């Protein structure tokens, strides 16, 4: 990570994955906590405005979050939430919008990223699965470093390659891959599944 970010255009790290249910948000939360405890000022952003649940890890409300800021309902200062971890702030998903991708393409998002890079040592953005929606490709265009998470025994090599290709087609270079929940066994199964990513969300 250190060397990847040395060559990056900014201090924004996007964490995505090919499919739901791989522990991507778990990795994001723990990565943010480790970096904050090492002395860096960290902002963790839940950019999964459809089904994001980062707030549950910190016992925070989901309302007044990213979608509310991007839609112009809340200023940046009002959507930043403190956590029990020193130097770690969180922006939750906010109200589930009808048009998450359009909100991410709005100038407010790029302006927010510029602001965050100046205010924090590290900005971590957790996004939805890249094989389900276009949101990660939009976020990745603004992030200096993109990491992909996969789950051992669940994501196949073919699926991971398709996800990487999806990023490449959008001009986003994946700098690293995090294999989550590794078990001591070998898997030789290959394939590619399609995932339904519901717009419904628990509020």
């Amino acid at each position: 990570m250190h060397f990847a970010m040395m060559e990056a255009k900014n201090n924004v790290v996007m964490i995505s994955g090919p499919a739901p249910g791989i522990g991507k948000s778990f990795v994001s939360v723990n990565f943010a906590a480790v970096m904050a405890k090492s002395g860096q000022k960290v902002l963790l952003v839940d950019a999964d405005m459809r089904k994001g649940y980062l707030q549950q890890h910190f016992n925070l409300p989901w309302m007044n979050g990213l979608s509310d800021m991007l839609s112009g309902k809340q200023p940046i200062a009002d959507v930043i939430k403190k956590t029990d971890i020193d130097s770690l702030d969180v922006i939750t998903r906010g109200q589930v919008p009808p048009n998450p991708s359009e909100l991410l393409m709005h100038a407010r998002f790029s302006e927010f990223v510029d602001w965050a890079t100046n205010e924090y040592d590290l900005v971590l953005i957790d996004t939805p699965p890249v094989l389900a929606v276009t949101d990660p490709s939009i976020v990745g265009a603004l992030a200096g470093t993109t990491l992909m998470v996969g789950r051992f025994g669940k994501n196949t090599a073919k699926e991971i390659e398709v996800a990487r290709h999806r990023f490449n087609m959008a001009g986003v270079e994946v700098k690293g891959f995090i294999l989550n929940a590794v078990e001591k066994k070998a898997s030789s199964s290959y394939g590619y599944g399609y995932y339904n990513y519901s717009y419904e969300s628990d509020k």
Side-chain angles (χ1 to χ4, degrees):
M1 172 58 70
H2 172 71
F3 290 107
M5 293 191 68
M6 282 179 63
E7 302 174 351
K9 62 185 178 182
N10 58 30
N11 58 349
V12 179
V13 176
M14 179 181 76
I15 297 181
S16 188
I22 58 177
K24 174 179 53 61
S25 296
F26 173 81
V27 169
S28 298
V29 168
N30 282 276
F31 185 24
V34 167
M35 298 305 289
K37 289 179 179 179
S38 72
Q40 294 199 50
K41 185 180 180 184
V42 180
L43 177 64
L44 176 60
V45 182
D46 191 347
D48 187 347
M49 291 179 280
R50 295 175 179 86
K51 298 184 70 175
Y53 58 89
L54 284 185
Q55 73 279 353
Q56 295 178 8
H57 294 278
F58 302 99
N59 294 317
L60 294 170
W62 55 261
M63 65 278 293
N64 294 330
L66 182 64
S67 65
D68 304 293
M69 183 264 290
L70 294 182
S71 61
K73 296 176 182 177
Q74 298 285 346
I76 293 176
D78 289 356
V79 301
I80 295 174
K81 298 177 174 69
K82 298 292 182 183
T83 71
D84 293 334
I85 301 173
D86 291 339
S87 300
L88 176 57
D89 295 342
V90 171
I91 294 181
T92 56
R93 70 162 200 259
Q95 179 69 44
V96 178
N99 55 347
S101 297
E102 291 180 21
L103 287 181
L104 291 171
M105 289 187 287
H106 195 280
R108 287 193 191 95
F109 183 62
S110 60
E111 291 167 0
F112 158 70
V113 170
D114 290 340
W115 174 86
T117 58
N118 291 319
E119 293 292 323
Y120 291 86
D121 298 316
L122 177 65
V123 181
L124 283 172
I125 304 180
D126 184 37
T127 70
V130 67
L131 294 183
V133 291
T134 60
D135 303 18
S137 296
I138 300 169
V139 176
L142 299 176
T145 305
T146 293
L147 299 177
M148 214 165 39
V149 176
R151 190 176 185 90
F152 181 83
K154 179 168 183 176
N155 298 123
T156 64
K158 177 64 175 178
E159 185 178 46
I160 293 166
E161 179 57 32
V162 171
R164 180 173 173 270
H165 179 70
R166 182 75 57 86
F167 277 124
N168 286 343
M169 292 294 290
V172 178
E173 182 183 0
V174 177
K175 291 288 189 178
F177 182 80
I178 301 168
L179 188 59
N180 188 31
V182 175
E183 300 175 9
K184 291 185 177 180
K185 66 178 183 179
S187 174
S188 59
S189 60
Y190 291 87
Y192 172 47
Y194 291 87
Y195 293 86
N196 292 319
Y197 195 62
S198 174
Y199 282 73
E200 298 177 355
S201 176
D202 296 330
K203 299 182 178 62

